[in-house]
Amino acid sequence: MTAIAQTEPVGRPSTEGGPVLECRGLEKSYKERRAVAGVGFEIESGETYGLLGPNGAGKTTTISMICGLLARDAGDVTVDGKPLTINSTDAKTAIGYVPQDLAIYPDLTAKENLMFFGRLYGMSRSDIKQRSAEILDVIGLSDRADEHTSGFSGGMKRRLNIGIALLHKPRLLVLDEPTVGVDPQSRNAILGNVETLSEAGMAVLYTTHYMEEAERLCDRVGIIDEGEIKAEGTRRELIAILGEQDRVSLEASGDLATASRTLTSLDGIDDATHRESGIDLILTNASHRLPQILETVADAGAEVTSVNVVEPDLEAVFLKLTGKALRD
Amino acid sequence: MKKAFIIASKDIKRSVRDRSAIVTAVVAPLALAFILSTVLGGADGSSLNVTFAIVDDDGGEASAVLIDDILPSLEDEGVELVQSDSIEEARRMAEDGDVDSAFIIPDGFTEAVQSTEGAEITILTNAESEIGPQVAQSVAESYAAELNAVRLSIGTVAVSAGGAPSPTEMQELQADASERPMPALLVESSAGSRQFDSNTFFAAGIGVFFLFFTAQLGAVSLLQERKEGTLARLLAAPVSRGAVVGAKAIYSFVIGVVSMAILIVASRFLMDASWGDPVAVAVVVLAAVFAAMGLQSLVATLATTDEQAAGYGAVVGVTLGLLGGTFFPIAQGPGLIAKLSYLSPHSWIMRALGEVSGGAGTLVDVLPAVAALVLFGATTGTIALIRSRNLVMAG
């Protein structure tokens, strides 16, 4: 899969200078459960914004409201200067949506899939033909263009899934966890393409629960949990939330629950979370506190097999803000 | 609207590639109608499809009534008549199954009728035949009843005149009686297919039965798109929810109309089905597809998956199809079932097609049934549209 350098820009802005996406106070509840509570952010042209959070944090619900798939209980969404509701068509024209699940027709060819969605976006047949050739070339499916997609590999389907969203040159590309279940090679290619598109001036909204992807791709990240954005900013700004704190990862066995509870009560330790094979700590002055930590863990009936002092990252920020790991 | 047609075109293209849809819409109904028509032709009561041999050793006036008046009147009901020269030949034909029954009118039959002696007609039957002997028995009993009525009237005249009539008076009285209309025969078409012949009945019944399966394709495909994730992409595109629902309705309507049209044309040429006034049939088919779409869309809104919708649709289609007389002509039968059949759109469709079948009826005759179908489709379709707000969700 080659980079999408030639798929440059991306629809002309209808509003000069303003954000491509503006959402404010988004709320959505399912019966008693509040899925999204007051989410709001903006994305400028050429900016990649990441929504980072674990499964069930409210990422997909937020995206569904932004793309007009789901009616919101409250809040506003403006795309390319146009208000968006579930029935508005103007604003939706500016969005390219890549669903988390594959959304292609298995009994149509790759070319027919592109042709169908291109017509839904009001493109002329000649434009679709030309654009399809470009997209198929970029996603490396030119030689398979006339084959039914049911015979494609998972990676090929993923590439076509993204290609369809780019066909009409959207101003805003929304990707909902596009690398879930993707092999490392395809994953790397997808991330490379997103970087290229962003450089070409496209606004990108990217949801993920992989900290590495958010750190690599996103100019700004919104950390979302339980339907709320807990913090937002550049990577540097978010890590600054940790202050002078360090993150220590202990690989250990034994009574980890008791050990982490005991560690939390120690001075200077902001957070201690146990996982299956160890304990993650947020603390100040890690090097001075390590002997005390190891002694406490041993007293609690656990055995430490390795200690890793980790450079502060978004995972640590998430841990500090929510008290749980991204994988939880 | 344009986008609804784009989506519907895509669905139709997928259907053409999906052999199961073609089988459901065209191949299965046509094949089943052909098989049933071939195997059970006439079993619906609309056509007797029996052969009678006649041996007339009498040649008198009384036998002429049976041979020239009564039996030929049954030819329209599917009775074929064969003249036989001797009792032996008739017996052999019955034994070989060449005929279902044979009427043997003995020498002196007319003379016996005119006297006070007992007159007999012998009926030879083929043991394998189920319907033929019963029909022959019914004909003979009717004929005997007619003869007895004549005798009774002559006797009444004689008693009132105070003496036995002369031979000339007897002949005049007999001639007068024989010219009067014959009493109704026991042989008649059964209910459910007043104008249907058997081929048309099976073609119509099976076509209508399967129509309720093809009519659910649109609603099922909506749920399928939701399952496959493509509905999310459709809803994220600049397409209104109404256009998505409209596309599925167009898709169902086109498939339904095309499948019925193919069945009608094919059965006309392959099975010699007689559908009647093309305009009336076309109007009935359009109303039928509309009613089927409304009902099956409503049923689909009760489901959460495409498999569930197909299952619910099948149960409803089979139940109402049986109640509506698509396989057996119970719709116009007696009792509670006949009344209940009015709840089934299948019944209204079959009644309407029956009205025009064979060229008997016109557009005017089917309008009440068409109105009932349109009302049925509009009611169920409106409820389905209201409920489809939940169906047209991304996940």
Side-chain angles (χ1 to χ4, degrees):
Chain A
M1 185 174 174
T2 53
I4 308 185
Q6 61 268 54
T7 22
E8 46 163 296
V10 282
R12 292 179 182 171
S14 63
T15 53
E16 291 296 334
V20 176
L21 171 68
E22 254 184 302
C23 56
R24 294 268 172 270
L26 296 181
E27 290 186 11
K28 183 70 185 176
S29 295
Y30 296 101
K31 294 183 181 171
E32 299 300 309
R33 191 175 68 83
R34 208 168 184 198
V36 173
V39 167
F41 53 87
E42 294 179 358
I43 308 178
E44 301 285 341
S45 180
E47 182 184 28
T48 298
Y49 185 95
L51 269 182
L52 178 67
N55 292 329
K59 302 188 297 291
T60 298
T61 304
T62 300
I63 273 190
S64 295
M65 288 190 282
I66 287 171
C67 293
L69 307 179
L70 196 62
R72 51 189 181 263
D73 296 339
D76 296 305
V77 176
T78 306
V79 180
D80 202 19
K82 303 177 191 97
L84 184 141
T85 65
I86 57 169
N87 282 317
S88 58
T89 53
D90 277 2
K92 286 183 179 180
T93 309
I95 301 174
Y97 172 57
V98 182
Q100 184 174 346
D101 298 322
L102 292 170
I104 55 179
Y105 295 103
D107 41 12
L108 298 185
T109 67
K111 201 185 277 182
E112 286 169 340
N113 268 285
L114 288 164
M115 177 64 75
F116 169 67
F117 284 107
R119 291 181 70 197
L120 286 188
Y121 279 87
M123 297 172 71
S124 69
R125 284 181 183 275
S126 58
D127 280 352
I128 298 173
K129 202 173 173 183
Q130 182 191 342
R131 221 17 221 154
S132 294
E134 291 173 14
I135 294 286
L136 287 166
D137 186 41
V138 165
I139 61 178
L141 292 175
S142 293
D143 56 337
R144 309 283 299 263
D146 294 316
E147 291 181 25
H148 289 183
T149 60
S150 54
F152 284 9
S153 68
M156 291 161 75
K157 288 176 182 171
R158 282 274 164 203
R159 276 138 60 188
L160 181 61
N161 201 37
I162 295 174
I164 290 169
L166 298 172
L167 185 71
H168 62 288
K169 299 185 178 178
R171 293 219 64 219
L172 171 67
L173 181 65
V174 179
L175 301 105
D176 191 4
E177 307 221 31
T179 59
V180 171
V182 172
D183 63 88
Q185 192 183 356
S186 293
R187 182 184 180 205
N188 206 38
I190 289 169
L191 298 180
N193 284 332
V194 172
E195 285 171 329
T196 308
L197 290 163
S198 179
E199 285 163 12
M202 190 180 283
V204 178
L205 172 57
Y206 191 98
T207 76
T208 183
H209 62 273
Y210 296 126
M211 182 268 300
E212 308 81 19
E213 290 183 3
E215 289 198 327
R216 173 175 164 180
L217 292 178
C218 301
D219 300 304
R220 286 187 303 133
V221 173
I223 291 180
I224 185 169
D225 188 48
E226 294 178 346
E228 294 178 9
I229 292 194
K230 304 291 185 185
E232 181 192 81
T234 62
R235 180 180 182 279
R236 183 186 295 252
E237 287 167 346
L238 288 171
I239 287 175
I241 292 172
L242 296 172
E244 298 301 317
Q245 290 175 315
D246 299 317
R247 182 181 165 204
V248 173
S249 180
L250 305 177
E251 294 302 311
S253 59
D255 189 355
L256 300 180
T258 304
S260 64
R261 263 201 313 274
T262 312
L263 285 170
T264 310
S265 64
L266 295 180
D267 279 347
I269 295 184
D270 270 15
D271 194 80
T273 310
H274 71 276
R275 49 188 158 78
E276 195 178 338
S277 60
I279 300 171
D280 293 323
L281 301 163
I282 302 292
L283 69 167
T284 50
N285 207 354
S287 55
H288 281 83
R289 296 190 192 280
L290 264 179
Q292 186 188 8
I293 289 169
L294 296 175
E295 190 180 327
T296 305
V297 171
D299 290 346
E303 185 182 354
V304 175
T305 53
S306 73
V307 177
N308 188 18
V309 179
V310 187
E311 187 184 343
D313 58 15
L314 293 179
E315 178 90 38
V317 176
F318 189 86
L319 192 63
K320 178 177 173 61
L321 291 172
T322 67
K324 56 191 175 188
L326 271 170
R327 290 179 295 272
D328 287 352
Chain B
M1 197 63 181
K2 184 184 172 189
K3 286 176 181 173
F5 278 104
I6 292 171
I7 298 170
S9 305
K10 176 265 300 173
D11 287 335
I12 291 167
K13 180 186 275 188
R14 294 183 74 195
S15 276
V16 170
R17 290 182 181 173
D18 179 4
R19 288 174 189 164
S20 65
I22 294 175
V23 167
T24 304
V26 179
V27 178
L30 195 57
L32 200 53
F34 185 77
I35 291 167
L36 286 176
S37 171
T38 305
V39 175
L40 302 174
D44 63 329
S46 63
S47 180
L48 292 168
N49 195 24
V50 296
T51 305
F52 293 151
I54 302 167
V55 180
D56 183 11
D57 287 341
D58 177 52
E61 292 169 353
S63 64
V65 171
L66 177 65
I67 294 166
D68 297 337
D69 293 339
I70 296 176
L71 289 173
S73 71
L74 297 174
E75 287 181 321
D76 289 343
E77 303 291 343
V79 174
E80 187 182 350
L81 301 174
V82 178
Q83 295 293 336
S84 177
D85 294 332
S86 66
I87 296 174
E88 290 71 27
E89 185 188 26
R91 187 182 300 281
R92 183 184 52 73
M93 289 168 78
E95 285 174 355
D96 293 347
D98 295 335
V99 298
D100 294 279
S101 296
F103 289 83
I104 312 297
I105 306 171
D107 185 23
F109 177 75
T110 300
E111 193 177 334
V113 167
Q114 289 173 349
S115 70
T116 55
E117 296 171 21
E120 289 184 350
I121 295 176
T122 303
I123 298 173
L124 302 175
T125 61
N126 172 267
E128 303 288 322
S129 175
E130 292 180 359
I131 298 174
Q134 294 175 34
V135 175
Q137 181 77 20
S138 297
V139 170
E141 285 173 357
S142 291
Y143 178 57
E146 172 66 7
L147 289 177
N148 287 335
V150 172
R151 276 181 167 173
L152 182 62
S153 64
I154 291 171
T156 304
V157 168
V159 169
S160 61
S166 67
T168 310
E169 287 172 327
M170 180 78 90
Q171 283 185 351
E172 286 173 356
L173 285 167
Q174 282 183 338
D176 180 54
S178 65
E179 284 173 5
R180 294 182 184 279
M182 298 300 295
L185 292 176
L186 299 179
V187 181
E188 57 185 34
S189 298
S190 63
S193 50
R194 280 172 296 178
Q195 286 84 25
F196 276 130
D197 60 66
S198 65
N199 289 346
T200 314
F201 172 79
F202 284 119
I206 299 298
V208 171
F209 180 78
F210 275 93
L211 173 63
F212 281 75
F213 287 83
T214 54
Q216 65 175 343
L217 288 176
V220 169
S221 83
L222 188 59
L223 286 162
Q224 197 176 5
E225 296 233 32
R226 192 166 73 168
K227 185 177 78 175
E228 292 174 347
T230 46
L231 181 61
R233 184 154 245 157
L234 288 181
L235 297 177
V239 179
S240 69
R241 276 161 164 71
V244 175
V245 174
K248 300 305 176 184
I250 293 169
Y251 166 50
S252 281
F253 194 77
V254 169
I255 295 287
V257 170
V258 168
S259 66
M260 281 300 286
I262 291 173
L263 182 83
I264 287 168
V265 172
S267 64
R268 171 75 186 84
F269 291 104
L270 297 177
M271 298 162 57
D272 200 27
S274 176
W275 291 89
D277 179 8
V279 176
V281 171
V283 170
V284 173
V285 166
L286 293 177
V289 174
F290 182 67
M293 276 172 50
L295 174 66
Q296 294 294 39
S297 300
L298 177 58
V299 171
T301 62
L302 304 174
T304 52
T305 65
D306 55 333
E307 292 94 349
Q308 211 174 39
Y312 290 170
V315 170
V316 170
V318 170
T319 305
L320 293 181
L322 289 173
L323 185 64
T326 54
F327 282 98
F328 309 102
I330 61 171
Q332 293 172 15
L336 180 64
I337 295 293
K339 289 177 184 167
L340 285 176
S341 75
Y342 282 95
L343 296 174
S344 165
H346 299 67
S347 168
W348 289 98
I349 301 167
M350 291 300 286
R351 284 167 209 271
L353 291 174
E355 290 286 352
V356 293
S357 175
T362 63
L363 180 60
V364 176
D365 297 316
V366 301
L367 287 181
V370 167
L373 290 168
V374 170
L375 184 64
F376 184 89
T379 306
T380 51
T382 302
I383 300 171
L385 269 179
I386 293 167
R387 290 183 56 85
S388 71
R389 282 182 300 185
N390 295 330
L391 206 64
V392 189
M393 302 267 284

